[in-house]
Amino acid sequence: MRLELGKINITDVQFSDITKVENGILYVNKEEIISIIKEDDHIKSVQVELAKPGEETRITPVKDVIEPRVKVDGQGGIFPGVISKVTTVGSGRTHVLKGAAVVTCGKIVGFQEGIIDMSGPGAEYTPFSKLNNVCLVIEPIDDLKQHEYEAAVRMAGLKVATFIGQAGKEITPDEVEVYETKPLFESVAEYPDLPKVGYVYMLQTQGLLHDTYVYGVDAKKIVPTILYPTEVMDGAILSGNCVSACDKNTSYHHLNNPIIHDLYERHGKDINFVGVIITNENVYLADKERSSNWTAKFCKFLGLDGALVSQEGFGNPDTDLIMNCKKIENEGVKTVIVTDEYAGRDGASQSLADADSKADAVVTGGNANEVIVLPPMKKIIGMLDYVDRIAGGFDGSLRPDGSIEAEIQVITGATNELGFNKMSATGF
C-alpha cells in the first residue's frame, strides 16, 4: 500500500470570514465552526479560541488534539468509520495542514484531562506548544452523562478537523513524502538480507472513557489484527480515552505515530519494516491472555526477527506490555518495549507495575512523577478550577498567583509512549 502525504506548512492561524489556507496562514471562520458543533443537541455552548506558539497561554482541560487532513486521491476519506465511510484507507494521496491542530477542551473526567502551555517550561514537555491551535471549549447540556459528553466532544473535534482539513485540498503542498508497505512476500523478496521488523501497537481499552477506535470500532471488542502502517496516517485509529494526560495517545499521536515514521525511515536500509500488529489493553486476565497470545502468534506468523512494542497508559496495562514482551520473545522474536515510568518523585520506586527478565531492551519516555512548576499565564483557554484534583496535582497545586506546582503527568503528551523527542526504533 502506497500513500503520498502532502504537507502544507502552517505558520499562523487567524479568524476570518472564510476558512482557507493562504501563504502558509490558516484562516478559520469561527461562526461556521460553532454552527458545526451546535448541530449536536448534547452541547449547550462552545467557545472557539486560538493559541499560538510562544504566547503566554494555558489551555486546559485538554481532551484531544487532532491534526486537520483531507483525502485528495485514493480510497475512502479521513477518519473512516466515524466521519467517512468504512472503506480501507492508507493509499493514494492525503494533504496535511502541518503545524495546525484542533484541540478539544472540556471537564469530562476532570482529574484525567490535561494542560498545554504555549510558552514557559511546560511548553518544553509537549509537542502541542509548537502548533497553531484552534481550541474548542465545549460545555454540555445539564445532567448529560460523562460518556455522552465525551462522545459529543470527540465528534465535535473530528468534524471541525475535517472541515478545516478541506481547506488544504486544492493547495499545492510544500513537501510530499511517500510511504509504502508491500504485501509480505513481496517485501521479504525485496530485502531478503534485512531483518524483518514489525510494530506491536498497544491501544488503550480499559473500559468506558478509556477507549480507542479502529475504523469506528471500540478496540476492546477486537482481537489483535494486522494493519498497513499507512492506514494509521489516514485516521484509522482515533483516541476516545480520558486517561492521565501525560501518557495517553491523542488522535494527533496516532496520525503522526513517530515509531511508524522512524521504522519507515530505516526501511530498506538496515531493517525491513513489514507492518503493524494492533492489540488492546483490556482489564480482565482472560482478555489479556487472549490478546497477548494472538499478538505473539502474529509475530511468529509474519516471520519477524524483531518487534517494537509500545504501550498506552500505565499500571494495569503494564501487565499487557510484559505479557506481550515475554510471549513474543518466547517465539524467538527479539523485542524492544517503549514505555513511560511512574517511579516516584525521587525516581526511586519501581518504574512499572510488572517486570520480566526478557524485557531487557527498553526505550523510556521519562518519569511522569517528576515535579514541575508552571508559571502563571496571561490567558487561560478553558478553566482552572479542577487543577488541584488533576492526576499529578494535589491540594494547593494551583497557587494564588496562577502558577501550578504538579507532577509532569498533568501535561498533555509529556511522557507519552509515542513521544516526539526520542529515537524510538532502536535496540535490535
Side-chain angles (χ1 to χ4, degrees):
M1 193 170 285
R2 184 179 188 275
L3 178 67
E4 296 179 0
L5 278 188
K7 297 183 177 181
I8 302 164
N9 296 329
I10 302 299
T11 58
D12 191 16
V13 60
Q14 300 178 19
F15 287 125
S16 174
D17 293 336
I18 301 173
T19 298
K20 62 180 180 178
V21 174
E22 192 173 88
N23 298 321
I25 300 174
L26 171 62
Y27 296 93
V28 293
N29 184 314
K30 180 191 291 191
E31 297 308 316
E32 284 184 309
I33 290 173
I34 292 173
S35 177
I36 290 169
I37 295 173
K38 291 297 293 291
E39 290 173 356
D40 188 337
D41 57 12
H42 293 100
I43 294 172
K44 178 167 63 177
S45 67
V46 58
Q47 299 175 40
V48 182
E49 302 197 49
L50 306 180
K52 307 177 188 182
E55 293 181 337
E56 291 187 53
T57 299
R58 175 164 294 148
I59 314 167
T60 186
V62 173
K63 171 64 179 71
D64 197 12
V65 184
I66 310 160
E67 185 173 61
R69 298 190 172 198
V70 61
K71 200 74 188 160
V72 174
D73 181 61
Q75 291 190 143
I78 299 297
F79 313 136
V82 181
I83 299 297
S84 303
K85 291 182 178 180
V86 187
T87 302
T88 300
V89 294
S91 63
R93 185 162 180 163
T94 295
H95 284 182
V96 183
L97 300 190
K98 187 57 62 178
V102 173
V103 177
T104 55
C105 308
K107 203 161 45 174
I108 299 166
V109 184
F111 67 94
Q112 288 189 323
E113 309 302 345
I115 296 170
I116 296 173
D117 278 359
M118 298 304 293
S119 63
E124 299 302 314
Y125 285 90
T126 175
F128 307 127
S129 64
K130 302 171 181 64
L131 304 178
N132 295 283
N133 297 307
V134 179
C135 305
L136 316 176
V137 183
I138 299 172
E139 291 290 333
I141 58 173
D142 295 341
D143 300 320
L144 188 68
K145 293 180 180 179
Q146 285 179 311
H147 69 278
E148 295 174 320
Y149 182 16
E150 184 279 324
V153 172
R154 172 163 32 94
M155 288 302 298
L158 295 173
K159 287 178 180 178
V160 172
T162 302
F163 169 72
I164 293 175
Q166 289 287 336
K169 189 167 187 177
E170 304 299 330
I171 303 296
T172 301
D174 297 287
E175 178 186 5
V176 176
E177 294 183 347
V178 178
Y179 299 91
E180 185 173 18
T181 296
K182 296 181 179 179
L184 183 61
F185 289 167
E186 290 182 35
S187 181
V188 173
E190 186 174 16
Y191 301 110
D193 299 324
L194 295 180
K196 298 180 291 299
V197 174
Y199 172 33
V200 176
Y201 196 168
M202 294 173 55
L203 307 176
Q204 173 64 250
T205 56
Q206 288 183 278
L208 199 63
L209 298 168
H210 293 69
D211 302 313
T212 305
Y213 296 89
V214 181
Y215 281 92
V217 175
D218 186 340
K220 68 175 172 282
K221 299 178 181 179
I222 70 169
V223 291
T225 190
I226 298 170
L227 292 182
Y228 280 98
T230 53
E231 292 179 76
V232 181
M233 297 175 179
D234 266 354
I237 300 177
L238 297 172
S239 174
N241 74 67
C242 301
V243 298
S244 292
C246 68
D247 64 354
K248 73 177 178 184
N249 295 334
T250 65
S251 295
Y252 187 98
H253 284 97
H254 292 302
L255 288 163
N256 293 279
N257 186 308
I259 293 176
I260 290 176
H261 282 264
D262 283 357
L263 290 170
Y264 265 128
E265 181 65 26
R266 293 177 58 176
H267 177 62
K269 299 174 184 176
D270 56 357
I271 64 170
N272 185 352
F273 178 32
V274 299
V276 174
I277 299 166
I278 58 169
T279 185
N280 49 27
E281 301 172 352
N282 288 343
V283 294
Y284 294 108
L285 180 59
D287 293 325
K288 293 178 183 294
E289 293 283 9
R290 180 188 303 110
S291 291
S292 56
N293 287 344
W294 278 55
T295 299
K297 177 181 68 175
F298 275 129
C299 288
K300 182 70 171 180
F301 179 73
L302 294 174
L304 299 183
D305 299 299
L308 196 70
V309 187
S310 70
Q311 174 190 13
E312 182 175 11
F314 67 98
N316 186 291
D318 292 352
T319 302
D320 302 88
L321 177 68
I322 298 302
M323 276 186 172
N324 284 323
C325 176
K326 287 193 301 185
K327 293 178 182 181
I328 294 168
E329 287 272 353
N330 287 341
E331 293 291 355
V333 180
K334 295 180 179 180
T335 62
V336 176
I337 64 175
V338 184
T339 179
D340 63 359
E341 305 174 55
Y342 281 76
R345 294 179 184 178
D346 60 359
S349 300
Q350 180 174 319
S351 297
L352 299 175
D354 200 358
D356 190 87
S357 59
K358 288 185 169 61
D360 58 1
V362 183
V363 176
T364 177
N367 179 18
N369 295 131
E370 181 182 341
V371 175
I372 188 173
V373 175
L374 305 176
M377 294 284 159
K378 291 181 179 178
K379 181 179 180 180
I380 303 297
I381 297 177
M383 64 287 293
L384 291 172
D385 59 347
Y386 73 101
V387 167
D388 287 357
R389 301 188 302 277
I390 195 172
F394 44 84
D395 188 26
S397 279
L398 180 61
R399 297 170 170 176
D401 67 352
S403 63
I404 298 171
E405 180 182 5
E407 297 177 358
I408 61 172
Q409 63 174 300
V410 303
I411 301 173
T412 301
T415 61
N416 182 276
E417 288 88 341
L418 299 185
F420 291 90
N421 298 316
K422 60 178 179 283
M423 286 297 295
S424 50
T426 59
F428 296 117

